[in-house]
Amino acid sequence: MTRRMVVVGGDAAGMSAAARARRLLGPDELEVLAFERGPRTSYAACGLPYHVQGLVADPEDLVARTPEQFAAAGITALVHHEVVAIDTSARIVDVHDLRTGSTLTESWDELVVATGATALRPDLPGIDTDGVQHLRTIDDAVALDRRIEQGATRAVVVGAGYVGVEVAEALLARGLSVTVVDAAERPLAATLDPPMAALVDERMRSKGVDLRLSCAVEGFEGAAGALRAVATSAGTVEADVAVLGLGVRPATHLAIDAGIPAGDTGGLVVDDRMHTPVDGVWAAGDCVESRHRVTGRSVVVALGTHANKQGRVVGSNLGGGDARFPGVLGTAVTKFCELEIGRTGLGAEEARELWDVEVGSVTSRTRARYYPGTQPAEVQVVYRRDDGVLLGAQVVGGPGTAKRIDAFAVAIWNGMAVEDLAMADLSYAPPFSPVWDPVVRAAAVVGGARLG
Amino acid sequence: MTRRMVVVGGDAAGMSAAARARRLLGPDELEVLAFERGPRTSYAACGLPYHVQGLVADPEDLVARTPEQFAAAGITALVHHEVVAIDTSARIVDVHDLRTGSTLTESWDELVVATGATALRPDLPGIDTDGVQHLRTIDDAVALDRRIEQGATRAVVVGAGYVGVEVAEALLARGLSVTVVDAAERPLAATLDPPMAALVDERMRSKGVDLRLSCAVEGFEGAAGALRAVATSAGTVEADVAVLGLGVRPATHLAIDAGIPAGDTGGLVVDDRMHTPVDGVWAAGDCVESRHRVTGRSVVVALGTHANKQGRVVGSNLGGGDARFPGVLGTAVTKFCELEIGRTGLGAEEARELWDVEVGSVTSRTRARYYPGTQPAEVQVVYRRDDGVLLGAQVVGGPGTAKRIDAFAVAIWNGMAVEDLAMADLSYAPPFSPVWDPVVRAAAVVGGARLG
């Protein structure tokens, strides 16, 4: 008998699950049906700032696969269709067709909850003023681009996290004056330790960003229905456009209403096969919580990498395999203009809460000292004092710095000790690193006491 | 009583040992004396092609530390001083001062043999013709540069290994016509498997290199004392200059004559503390053999990274510590024009000789598909069939490809299985990778059967 897989949410996690299951099972074994309330399937939200920046001319290029392409692969993906209720006993979902207003009821044998995340939207005066927006969807990016085309020259970016930093770069490149406001004392405060964040702070200011830290946004002021200024605890900033980049939280109301439980993190609870505690219900992507491999704790990390992997795991298991999602390290990279930023594992403070740790950093270089284009690369390493096990690393530096975090990520993934990484056989050639690569050098210097 | 450390060979390994020991022990505990027969200490041989290319204007920039700088750090480093005999019973060395012709006899308590490697020089007719040269020293690079300045326009590079490929790039950049001759069927034959080498072959030809493979050099023809042509098994190639890049072998005669043993590889035998079987005698760098961590076999790998680490290990141990050199993976990177090349661990054939293996490759990208500057990156993975343990990886692709080999190197170092790497938390942002990073994607695709 043909079973039916229903996917709630047609982005990375859901459509990865759909595609993987489809590859494993034929149409006589499994029908695959996905509902997406938005207008598009599987688009790269991470690419939105680069459309705004003008680096990706056609925003539709950010769409990995269209409903038509899914259809050709034997997957029915319906956009403008919002699942509004899940019944886990009757195994049905209610779906609103947002264009016709009609409601469908569809049955399922296997349900995949991939509802993603919701952008935080502070309850501030004037938040609904025209010109105040998120940058979460292709439509958001197109709207921001249009505002710039129509003459916006002054922007306020609310939040100095990844999105805030990337949007600031994009808007500077478009010629706007850019103010970035954050309640924290440093940019990227949630993920970078103070000495590393200081390098980002410095670069943002040197590129002309008016960076206002320890500063609260108090409201948005309009005139004639359009944004005119942003009120902050450090004064009013005139602005034609304000971009909210305050982070996201798992979008779980639909699931929770159906009795699919969330954990203390706010993310849906899943086992390592990405199955929820409810029979036949799987979940993946930004709406779930994951196990942090260093701390063993549950965390919510909204990243496309995890969404894709988790979706693949769901699809494999639903297709008869036995795949496991092994957890996360909190690895992330970004850039601001030419400054590359990466981090993995625990920051110094997070680590100190749990263990007796050593923290240190070195200033290395992206290439041999004498090779053209060589630039500084600052590398911080955190390890546990009693056994040397690496707990975290952060890198900030010139082109070629960011992806070095992957060597640390693999080291931490394997529970490697700092002294072992210091002697590891990493690559060297003058166009790519000093003879002591920054990763190895940081391990050797910071972990020097353990090296014998 | 003050002990005396004598270092034979003043390059990376020897001077790293000297510097490390000096840092650990005061001058009243240890006297540090190094002899170098050449005119310089601690220069970056890997940087020589980039001087020829014109990217490093002053070749003296390739010198990491001069004898004067060592002297200021409490290390006596004598250049133009060649150690010609070692007596391990009397603990003395005989040293020729190459400028005065006089011979010194110096005593030692701890001896460090860091005699490096000797470039292979085939016994061919005309090998001594003016215009036929190596590229091993700064003087070699200066000589090659001078030949180009004086009008050389046609070059033959003998050997398509790392040096050959790098020299070919440099000479093309200087406007010479370049013929590369190698006896093997592909470039970089000793380190890259055929499908990966094919990409290098293609790029070399497309950039204008006359690449002659399966081709033997038979002699060098001069006219009026200067090179005129190179005779090969595929005909005569007119040339003003010929650069020999046939590889190196450990320079061990001095040590072997003193009863310090070499292994079957030709490299000196050391334990993991870099001590030879002879009491008080240490060895490090291109002249020693190392343990390959994947095969457990002894290998000779002449690379600055190992020389530096091994020297540090010697210095630590000699200074009272207990440091270990944990072996090598054969990690290496280079580039030809914009094509980046990396490899670590075993190639497919090497691996097949030892185990039942799976080999596969994927074509990924250096950046998100839609991000400007994205280029193909080909990634090959080799793993053991019974347990999935990664044995080797090779990468060839556009800018940003080479250093990805480090993530594989750390994975292989830790005995990681392909399916674990496929789910590892490597970084992603559109300027740096697709959402499935090439490393992760290669592991997931090639190791797909193990992923569940």
Side-chain angles (χ1 to χ4, degrees), chain A residues 59-85:
Chain A
E60 299 299 334
D61 284 347
L62 300 177
V63 177
R65 268 174 120 182
T66 62
E68 292 70 30
Q69 290 168 321
F70 282 115
I75 294 165
T76 304
L78 301 176
V79 295
H80 300 294
H81 279 72
E82 179 173 15
V83 175
V84 293

Side-chain angles (χ1 to χ4, degrees), chain A residues 143-155:
Chain A
L144 181 53
D145 182 60
R146 192 184 309 118
R147 289 189 165 106
I148 298 167
E149 292 292 324
Q150 290 175 349
T153 60
R154 302 163 305 177

Side-chain angles (χ1 to χ4, degrees), chain A residues 15-368:
Chain A
M15 298 317 290
S16 291
R20 178 71 183 160
R22 177 76 301 158
R23 216 167 295 132
L24 296 174
L25 297 175
D28 53 335
E29 294 175 290
L30 189 75
E31 181 189 355
V32 183
L33 180 58
F35 297 108
E36 165 57 43
R37 68 179 174 186
R40 292 176 187 84
T41 48
S42 298
Y43 67 94
C46 322
L48 297 172
Y50 307 106
H51 170 63
V52 174
Q53 189 163 349
L55 297 175
V56 183
D58 182 354
E60 299 299 334
D61 284 347
L62 300 177
V63 177
R65 268 174 120 182
T66 62
E68 292 70 30
Q69 290 168 321
F70 282 115
I75 294 165
T76 304
L78 301 176
V79 295
H80 300 294
H81 279 72
E82 179 173 15
V83 175
V84 293
I86 297 167
D87 184 329
T88 61
S89 304
R91 298 208 170 187
I92 53 173
V93 288
D94 292 338
V95 187
H96 272 172
D97 180 335
L98 299 175
R99 281 172 306 190
T100 65
S102 63
T103 297
L104 306 73
T105 295
E106 297 287 350
S107 64
W108 49 267
D109 300 290
E110 308 279 354
L111 186 74
V112 181
V113 179
T115 43
T118 307
L120 297 177
R121 187 174 178 83
D123 186 21
L124 289 172
I127 185 80
D128 293 323
T129 307
D130 185 43
V132 181
Q133 67 162 93
H134 286 284
L135 186 58
R136 292 272 298 159
T137 65
I138 288 180
D139 290 345
D140 289 340
V142 169
L144 181 53
D145 182 60
R146 192 184 309 118
R147 289 189 165 106
I148 298 167
E149 292 292 324
Q150 290 175 349
T153 60
R154 302 163 305 177
V156 169
V157 178
V158 183
Y162 290 103
V163 169
V165 164
E166 291 163 7
V167 170
E169 171 184 323
L171 295 174
L172 283 177
R174 293 292 296 273
L176 280 76
S177 70
V178 179
T179 301
V180 176
V181 181
D182 200 293
E185 292 176 352
R186 60 184 193 273
L188 299 168
T191 54
L192 279 195
D193 284 322
M196 309 301 286
L199 300 171
V200 181
D201 178 306
E202 183 181 273
R203 186 64 64 99
M204 290 179 78
R205 293 183 199 275
S206 78
K207 289 285 179 182
V209 171
D210 179 1
L211 183 58
R212 303 193 176 193
L213 299 170
S214 305
C215 175
V217 170
E218 295 174 343
F220 302 89
E221 300 168 8
L227 185 67
R228 195 193 59 77
V230 178
T232 81
S233 59
T236 297
V237 184
E238 295 192 353
D240 310 307
V241 62
V243 181
L244 304 174
L246 292 165
V248 300
R249 63 162 179 263
T252 54
H253 285 304
L254 182 69
I256 289 171
D257 288 351
I260 302 162
D264 292 340
T265 64
L268 299 179
V269 175
V270 288
D271 60 21
D272 64 357
R273 301 181 78 234
M274 305 309 295
H275 196 273
T276 74
V278 179
D279 196 38
V281 180
W282 311 79
D286 292 359
C287 62
V288 307
E289 60 181 26
S290 302
R291 188 176 68 91
H292 195 293
R293 285 177 63 93
V294 178
T295 64
R297 293 176 177 172
S298 293
V299 291
V300 166
V301 181
L303 268 182
T305 46
H306 308 320
N308 274 279
K309 291 192 190 104
Q310 291 171 345
R312 188 191 198 279
V313 167
V314 169
S316 289
N317 290 329
L318 205 150
D322 183 20
R324 311 274 168 163
F325 183 73
V328 304
L329 294 178
T331 309
V333 290
T334 188
K335 67 190 271 292
F336 175 77
C337 300
E338 296 295 295
L339 192 72
E340 297 188 2
I341 300 152
R343 60 97 63 214
T344 188
L346 304 184
E349 283 315 308
E350 294 172 282
R352 281 194 190 104
E353 285 170 18
L354 295 169
W355 293 291
D356 183 17
V357 302
E358 288 283 349
V359 179
S361 67
V362 299
T363 305
S364 182
R365 306 201 67 86
T366 55
R367 302 174 171 185

Side-chain angles (χ1 to χ4, degrees), chain B residues 230-256:
Chain B
V230 178
T232 80
S233 59
T236 297
V237 184
E238 294 192 354
D240 309 308
V241 61
V243 182
L244 303 174
L246 291 166
V248 300
R249 61 161 181 264
T252 53
H253 284 305
L254 182 68
I256 289 172

Side-chain angles (χ1 to χ4, degrees), chain A residues 20 44 46-47 50 55-56 61-64 166 169 303-306 308-309 312-313 316 321-335 340-341 344 369-372 402-407 409-411 413-414 416 420-433 435-437 440 444 448 451-452, chain B residues 20 44 46-47 50 55-56 61-64 166 169 303-306 308-309 312-313 316 321-335 340-341 344 369-372 402-407 409-411 413-414 416 420-433 435-437 440 444 448 451-452:
Chain A
R20 178 71 183 160
C46 322
Y50 307 106
L55 297 175
V56 183
D61 284 347
L62 300 177
V63 177
E166 291 163 7
E169 171 184 323
L303 268 182
T305 46
H306 308 320
N308 274 279
K309 291 192 190 104
R312 188 191 198 279
V313 167
S316 289
D322 183 20
R324 311 274 168 163
F325 183 73
V328 304
L329 294 178
T331 309
V333 290
T334 188
K335 67 190 271 292
E340 297 188 2
I341 300 152
T344 188
R369 169 184 49 75
Y370 53 79
Y371 194 90
K403 265 291 175 181
R404 289 190 143 95
I405 205 67
D406 287 350
V410 177
W413 190 272
N414 287 287
M416 198 176 191
D420 293 335
L421 185 59
M423 285 284 145
D425 189 1
L426 267 59
S427 61
Y428 157 64
F432 306 118
S433 74
V435 65
W436 287 91
D437 181 88
V440 170
L451 262 176
Chain B
R20 179 69 183 162
C46 320
Y50 306 106
L55 296 174
V56 182
D61 284 348
L62 300 177
V63 177
E166 291 163 7
E169 171 184 323
L303 268 183
T305 46
H306 307 320
N308 273 278
K309 290 192 191 105
R312 188 190 199 280
V313 167
S316 290
D322 182 20
R324 311 276 167 161
F325 183 73
V328 304
L329 293 178
T331 309
V333 290
T334 188
K335 67 189 269 293
E340 298 188 1
I341 301 151
T344 188
R369 169 184 48 76
Y370 51 80
Y371 195 89
K403 266 292 177 181
R404 289 188 143 98
I405 205 66
D406 287 350
V410 177
W413 191 272
N414 287 286
M416 197 176 192
D420 294 334
L421 184 59
M423 285 284 145
D425 189 1
L426 268 58
S427 61
Y428 158 63
F432 306 119
S433 74
V435 65
W436 287 90
D437 181 89
V440 170
L451 261 175

